[in-house]
Amino acid sequence: MTLLEARGVSKHFGGLLALDAVSLSVQNGEIYGLIGPNGAGKTSLFNVLTGLYSPDSGDFFFDGEKLVATKPHVVAERGIARTFQNIRLFGNMSALENVMVGRHLRTHAGVIGAVLRNARTRAEEASIRSRALELLQYVGIAAHANSLASHLSYGDQRRLEISRALSTEPKLLALDEPAAGMNATETAELQKLLETIRHDGVTVLLIEHDVKLVMGLCDRVAVLDYGKKIAEGTPQQVQHDPAVIEAYLGGALA
């Protein structure tokens, strides 16, 4: 079953064509990789998908319905959560508090409940805290729950971002270069985590420059170059596609 579909999505920035009629489909329950050289349009596609930019043309369909370009928090409510290429945590808040912030997307207390602090609000806050702790345990950093996010190691900050995204209960988790800056051990641990996330029912859409990680992890891969999709298929199919080899000059896929 198709969870996410892009149909002819284009986006200009002035005279620059960042996305040129990109179409792709992500199936429910798979890990789908999006690769390409720098400037290929990968992050632009993420930003259009998640409501940061509006497309000039084309449409997205998510979970059987048209996904109209709208505010990012509305996209998150629909069931799409994302992380960013540059870490965007609340550095002066604890790891636990960072996850709790994400969890508030699914709460119901509202302003009145927050002011009155009634029994329902207190129970909901306790539930938020409990779930946040579970998610920190899930990604392997529960021991750092009370540590400031800014004090965590780089790899643990990446894991914290993922746990915060998961706190919104997404159907699709979109990750923008989660392995950037990681060493080999951290990358291997990340791969195991993403496999677990998929196993537990969340579809993963992955932008990543670590081609070895993508080829060893993803079920299918699409390749962008100068805003166009030049290939799509299994990792093996993509690695042997002449257009892909040319785009990477034979280096990254050798």
Side-chain angles (χ1 to χ4, degrees), residues 174-242:
L175 305 174
D176 193 349
E177 297 194 34
M182 287 188 175
N183 59 38
T185 299
E186 290 171 331
T187 300
E189 292 173 348
L190 174 67
Q191 179 169 345
K192 291 179 181 178
L193 174 60
L194 297 184
E195 289 170 343
T196 299
I197 290 170
R198 186 262 294 275
H199 180 268
D200 291 338
V202 178
T203 303
V204 177
L205 175 59
L206 175 70
I207 291 176
E208 187 51 64
H209 276 295
D210 187 332
V211 177
K212 181 179 179 182
L213 172 63
V214 170
M215 297 304 172
L217 176 65
C218 295
D219 301 295
R220 291 188 302 131
V221 179
V223 186
L224 297 184
D225 191 28
Y226 294 106
K228 291 185 177 182
K229 187 182 76 174
I230 61 172
E232 183 180 31
T234 65
Q236 185 176 16
Q237 290 170 335
V238 166
Q239 287 182 84
H240 293 90
D241 189 295

